[in-house]
């Protein structure tokens, strides 16, 4: 799993000790006789911002300029000293500059679980995503994997302009593009996946059908991505050390020019204002061209306000479980059993009871965590290790110290969320409560013993989907008036393509691995968006997003509320709109549409300056003329309102819905009002007579005087429009001042 570590690296060569890469945003020059929209003119404009000492020297300039942007942003990435940046600030047209950040990847059975079946339903109706191009920004790809076979996949659309940096005929009708943007330029070298993450996410989004897929013999079946006949383009921007911001924007810039329809980014950093966030800026440029952008929410849960990728023009995706586990059960000497998970399921492990030890009993935190170098003399014992970072590494330390097996127990914050990892020795990962019971058993006897029973693949968890403990939570810091995350999807113990064998025993190229993270849930939604784009080519990115969100599920397979790692109902800042349902999303009835220009009054309402908004929109903006609107007035498929001593307790908003169902449709209102809030909606009935007809309704929120006084910081509800064929849900959160 990759954890948040936004870094800024400075050069260390002699004479360049203070030089580092900056992202520079500038105004787009006014078009005239001397300046057109050509790439050459933009390049010349960018050159005028470089320090005078190097501006006229090609020999020095080329190494300094890292990337120039022409589609999704107006600006460039360049190596400068702080003094040179200060001098640049005085130049006409300069807007802002910040040191390039290094952002982390978000990694720590699913088609059937989502109701996707060959020859039926949305897969059949969308032709398995045929004709849609998904651009994946990641660590590269293993192109020879059978998941990227083009069997059954037609040639790409004529609009495709992309390139393939692999040699020979490696690219095909499935993998139609492959570029390498690492090291500050399009290298031209092949974007080989040395880490595995990019191969996994690509096959999750659009992998072709592969029979007999498994890892360590587990989760055996036919593997397929969400859009098996969609086309893939890989833009390599990351290594296992992370992804540089300049490379990310450069890849977005190229992907838009190449002609992708969907962009998938399983990476991100902490909250920044949108005009300082390279992903947010690049994603806005993409949606201006009609390209859908799906991003991972981050793996920093279950803490609140832990999100990445908060912009409302991005689909922000949290992670949940599916109904499959790779069962490994801890059996104690007193016959108690505690179910856990492990991908590694050794067939030759003797289930004889062995001595059970907890190294943390000595009070040493490093020993409790089984940190590298902390253990010794554990020959033939089963070792209890506290969870946390580096789950597989803990097993490596146990094995180094002679341990026979490991029981990995959750820390309190992770509750009942357990993962199936490719451990290096017999192991199981169990819940926090199981860990308490196991440690209590160790303390109850002088000769504690245990073993692990490996039970293989088990299908049918009635509590699925559950929100993963690591999945980042809202509310959004940058824009709390927009509910985030938007949606949750499968991101726990996901089986997908891997460039190399994980078990040293797999023959051939059909190698798979099982990993977890919002990195895994993001490409599920990217592929589902491709299916919707294939079915509804005229839908905007906001329309696709609305369809996904208003049809989402908030109940599990048992018909109860979706739970989180505590096994209690997950709240709205974990779920967003709920869990994706592809079949319902393909036929939503009504949509909440947003055009790119609709975001400008919203951005003005965030109190951004005209220049800051221009960084995002690449057009001249005058907020005094456009006017500002509250965040909650954006025509978003959810409501997030805040009331308190400094805000008006009564708030009025509108929403406009577009009929994409039957021409003659009548929708009646069903309303669940958040506690401590009064609500009224007008009208109560929406009557449509045409397809694509729009109707605006009005909503009034009125917080009670005692809202928040009991210490409860927020309340949930929903507004639902119901016809005889469709149910269109807008989830609502009201946040209170608890002062």
């Amino acid at each position: 799993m990759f954890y948040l570590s936004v870094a800024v690296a400075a050069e260390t060569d002699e004479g360049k000790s203070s030089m580092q890469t900056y992202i520079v945003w500038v105004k787009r020059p006014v078009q005239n006789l001397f300046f057109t929209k050509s790439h050459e003119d933009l390049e010349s404009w960018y050159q005028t911002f470089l320090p005078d000492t190097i501006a006229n020297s090609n020999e020095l300039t080329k190494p300094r300029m890292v990337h120039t942007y022409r589609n999704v942003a107006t600006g460039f990435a360049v190596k400068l000293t702080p003094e040179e940046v200060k001098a640049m600030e005085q130049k006409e047209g300069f807007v802002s500059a910040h040191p390039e950040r290094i952002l982390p990847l978000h990694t720590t059975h699913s088609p059937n679980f989502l109701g996707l079946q060959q020859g039926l339903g949305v897969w059949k109706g969308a032709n398995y995503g045929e004709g849609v191009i998904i651009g994946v920004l990641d660590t590269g790809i293993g192109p020879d994997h059978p998941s990227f076979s083009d069997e059954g996949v037609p040639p790409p659309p004529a609009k495709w302009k992309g390139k393939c940096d692999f040699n020979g005929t490696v690219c095909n009708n499935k993998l139609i593009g492959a570029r390498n943007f690492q090291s500050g330029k399009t290298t031209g070298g092949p974007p080989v996946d040395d880490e595995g993450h990019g191969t996994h996410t690509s096959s999750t989004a659009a992998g072709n059908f592969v029979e007999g897929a498994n890892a360590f013999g587990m989760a055996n079946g036919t593997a397929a991505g969400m859009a098996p006949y969609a086309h893939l383009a890989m833009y390599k921007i990351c290594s296992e050390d992370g992804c540089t911001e300049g490379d990310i924007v450069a890849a977005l810039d190229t992907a838009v020019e190449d002609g992708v329809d969907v962009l998938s980014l399983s990476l991100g950093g902490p909250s920044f204002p949108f005009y300082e966030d390279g992903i947010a800026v690049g994603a806005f440029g993409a949606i201006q061209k009609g390209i859908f952008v799906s991003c991972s929410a981050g793996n920093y849960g279950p803490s609140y306000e832990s999100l990445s990728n908060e912009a409302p023009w991005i689909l922000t995706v949290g992670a949940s479980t599916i109904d499959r586990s790779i069962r490994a059960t801890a059996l104690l000497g007193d016959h108690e059993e505690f179910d856990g998970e492990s991908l590694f399921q050794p067939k030759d492990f003797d289930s004889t009871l062995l001595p059970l030890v907890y190294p943390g009993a000595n009070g040493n935190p490093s020993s409790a965590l089984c940190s590298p170098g902390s253990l010794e003399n554990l020959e033939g014992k089963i070792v209890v290790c506290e969870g946390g970072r580096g789950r597989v590494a803990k097993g490596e330390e146990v094995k180094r110290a002679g341990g026979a097996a490991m029981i990995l127990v959750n820390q309190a914050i992770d509750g009942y969320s357990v993962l199936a990892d490719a451990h290096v020795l017999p192991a199981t990962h169990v819940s926090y409560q199981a860990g308490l019971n196991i440690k209590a058993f160790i303390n109850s006897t002088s000769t504690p013993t245990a073993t692990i029973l490996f039970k293989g693949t088990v299908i049918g968890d009635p509590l699925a989907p559950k929100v993963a403990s690591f999945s980042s939570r809202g509310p959004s810091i940058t824009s709390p008036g927009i509910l985030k995350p938007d949606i949750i999807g499968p991101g726990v113990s996901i089986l997908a393509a891997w460039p190399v064998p994980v078990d040293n025993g797999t023959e051939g190229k059909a190698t798979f691995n099982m990993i977890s993270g919002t990195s895994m849930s993001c490409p599920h939604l990217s592929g589902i968006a491709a299916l919707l784009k294939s079915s509804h080519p005229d839908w905007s990115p906001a329309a696709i997003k609305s369809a996904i969100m208003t049809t989402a599920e908030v109940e599990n397979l048992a018909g109860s509320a979706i739970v989180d790692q505590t096994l209690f109902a997950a709240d709205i800042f974990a779920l967003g709109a709920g869990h994706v349902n592809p079949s319902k999303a393909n036929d939503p009835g009504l949509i909440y549409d947003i055009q790119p220009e609709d975001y400008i009054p919203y951005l003005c309402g965030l109190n951004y300056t005209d220049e800051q908004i221009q960084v995002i929109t690449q057009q001249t903006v005058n907020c005094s003329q456009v006017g500002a609107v509250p965040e909650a007035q954006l025509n978003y498929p959810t409501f997030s309102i805040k009331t308190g001593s400094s805000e008006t307790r009564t708030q009025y908003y509108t929403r406009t819905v577009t009929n994409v169902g039957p021409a003659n449709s009548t929708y009646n209102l069903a309303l669940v009002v958040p506690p401590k809030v009064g609500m009224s909606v007008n009208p109560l009935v929406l009557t449509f007579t045409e397809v694509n007809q729009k109707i605006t309704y009005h909503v009034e929120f009125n917080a009670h005087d005692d809202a928040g006084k009991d210490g409860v910081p927020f309340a949930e509800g929903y507004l639902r429009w119901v016809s005889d064929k469709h149910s269109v849900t807008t989830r609502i959160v009201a946040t209170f001042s608890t002062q």
Side-chain angles (χ1 to χ4, degrees):
M1 182 178 289
F2 290 77
Y3 289 83
L4 180 63
S5 56
V6 176
V8 179
E11 297 211 11
T12 56
D13 294 343
E14 188 176 351
K16 299 181 182 178
S17 60
S18 61
M19 188 180 294
Q20 60 191 82
T21 301
Y22 284 81
I23 306 296
V24 180
W25 304 131
V26 299
K27 292 181 180 179
R28 205 166 190 89
V30 177
Q31 195 172 349
N32 54 36
L33 285 173
F34 305 103
F35 178 83
T36 66
K37 290 185 177 180
S38 74
H39 298 163
E40 292 77 12
D41 281 343
L42 261 183
E43 296 269 356
S44 298
W45 171 242
Y46 295 157
Q47 292 287 335
T48 66
F49 289 91
L50 297 180
D52 295 335
T53 54
I54 63 169
N56 299 316
S57 170
N58 284 334
E59 183 180 352
L60 291 174
T61 301
K62 286 182 180 178
R64 293 287 201 101
M65 191 70 87
V66 181
H67 290 297
T68 56
Y69 309 128
R70 53 184 181 261
N71 297 302
V72 301
T74 305
F76 47 91
V78 63
K79 294 178 180 178
L80 299 168
T81 66
E83 293 75 21
E84 289 170 338
V85 174
K86 198 159 190 65
M88 186 184 289
E89 291 173 359
Q90 310 306 314
K91 301 205 173 187
E92 182 69 26
F94 174 88
V95 177
S96 65
H98 65 265
E100 173 183 67
R101 305 179 184 103
I102 300 174
L103 307 182
L105 295 158
H106 285 162
T107 181
T108 94
H109 169 95
S110 44
N112 283 345
F113 179 68
L114 292 172
L116 299 174
Q117 299 179 34
Q118 280 187 265
L120 298 173
V122 64
W123 254 359
K124 183 179 180 182
N127 293 320
Y128 305 93
E130 207 171 279
V132 179
I133 303 167
I134 302 175
V136 180
L137 278 63
D138 216 298
T139 61
I141 195 166
D144 295 329
H145 197 283
S147 290
F148 309 122
S149 159
D150 64 357
E151 183 179 349
V153 182
K159 69 171 184 173
W160 176 245
K161 302 175 185 175
K163 299 177 182 177
C164 180
D165 287 344
F166 284 112
N167 295 327
T169 58
V170 171
C171 287
N172 55 25
N173 287 340
K174 164 59 72 176
L175 181 62
I176 61 173
R179 307 293 299 279
N180 191 341
F181 286 84
Q182 280 193 290
S183 306
K185 58 184 181 298
T186 305
T187 65
V192 175
D193 187 5
D194 300 317
E195 201 280 330
H197 189 273
T199 300
H200 199 279
T201 57
S202 297
S203 67
T204 300
N208 211 329
F209 296 98
V210 180
E211 295 181 358
N214 68 82
F216 291 97
M218 297 297 109
N220 194 56
T222 298
M226 296 296 98
Y229 289 171
H231 308 288
L232 269 172
M234 167 54 66
Y235 300 87
K236 181 172 180 175
I237 54 167
C238 307
S239 68
E240 63 179 6
D241 296 324
C243 326
T244 62
E245 191 177 9
D247 293 350
I248 294 168
V249 181
L252 289 169
D253 204 62
T254 300
V256 167
E257 188 169 309
D258 287 347
V260 302
D261 299 298
V262 175
L263 283 162
S264 187
L265 290 81
S266 292
L267 53 105
S271 182
F272 289 104
F274 298 141
Y275 55 84
E276 287 187 2
D277 182 338
I279 293 178
V281 171
F284 194 90
I287 66 113
Q288 285 178 306
K289 305 287 174 57
I291 299 165
F292 185 91
V293 183
S294 172
C295 294
S296 47
N299 297 345
Y300 318 119
S303 302
Y304 288 116
E305 297 185 324
S306 55
L307 290 165
S308 298
N309 302 316
E310 302 162 297
W313 48 88
I314 291 171
L315 183 74
T316 309
V317 187
S320 54
T321 65
I322 59 175
D323 65 337
R324 178 188 65 206
S325 64
I326 313 299
R327 188 74 54 81
T329 301
L331 171 64
L332 305 186
D334 63 358
H335 307 297
E336 276 195 288
E337 294 188 9
F338 300 97
D339 288 336
E341 295 205 40
S342 173
L343 179 58
F344 177 49
Q345 301 250 327
K347 295 181 174 62
D348 57 352
F349 183 68
D350 188 348
S351 58
T352 302
L353 291 170
L354 297 172
L356 177 65
V357 297
Y358 172 50
N362 64 9
N364 185 329
S366 294
S367 298
L369 291 165
C370 300
S371 301
S374 66
L375 306 180
E376 56 185 19
N377 301 324
L378 295 174
E379 284 76 7
K381 295 177 181 176
I382 294 183
V383 183
V384 175
C385 296
E386 298 281 357
R389 300 186 183 188
R391 297 181 304 275
V392 173
K394 295 173 189 293
E396 291 171 347
E397 174 63 12
V398 171
K399 187 175 183 179
R400 185 198 62 77
M406 174 180 69
I407 300 176
L408 182 65
V409 303
N410 269 348
Q411 296 181 342
I413 195 169
D414 291 317
Y416 290 87
S417 279
V418 297
L419 309 175
D421 289 314
H423 290 290
V424 298
L425 81 173
T428 183
H429 181 185
V430 300
S431 70
Y432 173 67
Q433 185 58 53
L436 293 179
N437 293 343
I438 291 168
K439 284 180 275 188
F441 168 68
I442 291 173
N443 292 333
S444 72
T445 174
S446 59
T447 57
T449 58
T451 191
I452 300 175
L453 308 176
F454 294 99
K455 300 180 178 179
T457 305
V458 179
I459 303 286
D461 178 5
L463 294 183
K466 300 190 289 280
V467 181
S469 63
F470 60 74
S471 186
S472 286
R473 268 58 166 183
S476 167
I477 295 174
T478 302
S479 183
I482 300 294
L483 175 61
K484 291 282 181 170
D486 292 307
I487 198 79
I488 59 170
V492 176
S493 303
I494 300 301
L495 184 78
W498 203 249
V500 295
V502 293
D503 58 2
N504 297 321
T506 303
E507 296 182 2
K509 298 176 181 177
T511 52
F512 292 82
N513 195 10
M514 188 175 282
I515 55 177
S516 299
T518 54
S519 275
M520 284 59 257
S521 50
C522 169
H524 277 91
L525 271 296
S526 306
I528 290 166
L531 295 178
L532 301 186
K533 184 73 174 176
S534 183
S535 288
H536 308 281
D538 57 328
W539 280 8
S540 69
I544 293 172
K545 182 175 180 177
S546 172
I548 289 169
M549 292 171 65
T550 62
T551 59
E553 304 284 356
V554 293
E555 292 184 346
N556 57 28
L557 294 178
S560 303
I562 293 175
V563 301
D564 61 16
Q565 74 284 348
T566 67
L567 299 188
F568 289 102
D571 67 44
I572 198 166
F573 291 125
L575 285 171
H579 188 273
V580 63
N581 183 321
S583 298
K584 288 185 177 179
N586 197 42
D587 182 21
L590 305 175
I591 55 170
Y592 294 82
D593 209 354
I594 306 173
Q595 297 306 313
E597 59 268 20
D598 297 335
Y599 291 105
I600 293 175
Y602 156 82
L603 292 168
C604 292
L606 292 178
N607 294 320
Y608 291 176
T609 67
D610 294 347
E611 284 191 340
Q612 290 166 344
I613 296 172
Q614 185 175 334
V615 167
I616 300 167
T617 65
Q618 296 190 86
Q619 62 192 69
T620 302
V621 172
N622 187 332
C623 284
S624 62
Q625 293 180 1
V626 172
V629 300
E631 298 162 77
Q633 179 55 32
L634 187 68
N635 199 43
Y636 213 66
T638 52
F639 271 110
S640 177
I641 64 165
K642 183 174 182 180
T643 68
S645 55
S646 61
E647 289 87 14
T648 305
R649 288 198 172 273
T650 301
Q651 301 177 33
Y652 300 91
Y653 301 104
T654 61
R655 286 291 188 271
T656 300
V657 288
T658 304
N659 180 29
V660 294
N664 294 297
S665 303
T666 299
Y667 288 82
N668 293 287
L669 178 68
L671 189 62
V672 171
V673 180
K676 303 295 179 92
V677 176
M679 273 187 70
S680 65
V681 180
N682 183 41
L684 301 177
V685 179
L686 305 179
T687 302
F688 295 91
T689 58
E690 299 175 15
V691 175
N692 292 323
Q693 180 183 349
K694 298 179 185 292
I695 294 179
T696 297
Y697 65 89
H698 302 259
V699 184
E700 177 184 335
F701 295 97
N702 195 334
H704 299 177
D705 290 342
D706 62 345
K709 297 296 191 294
D710 56 1
V712 177
F714 61 89
E716 306 176 23
Y718 63 80
L719 181 161
R720 180 174 292 156
W721 295 106
V722 183
S723 72
D724 56 352
K725 293 182 178 178
H726 298 97
S727 181
V728 186
T729 302
T730 290
R731 297 200 73 201
I732 301 165
V733 62
T735 305
F736 310 127
S737 171
T738 55
Q739 301 301 317

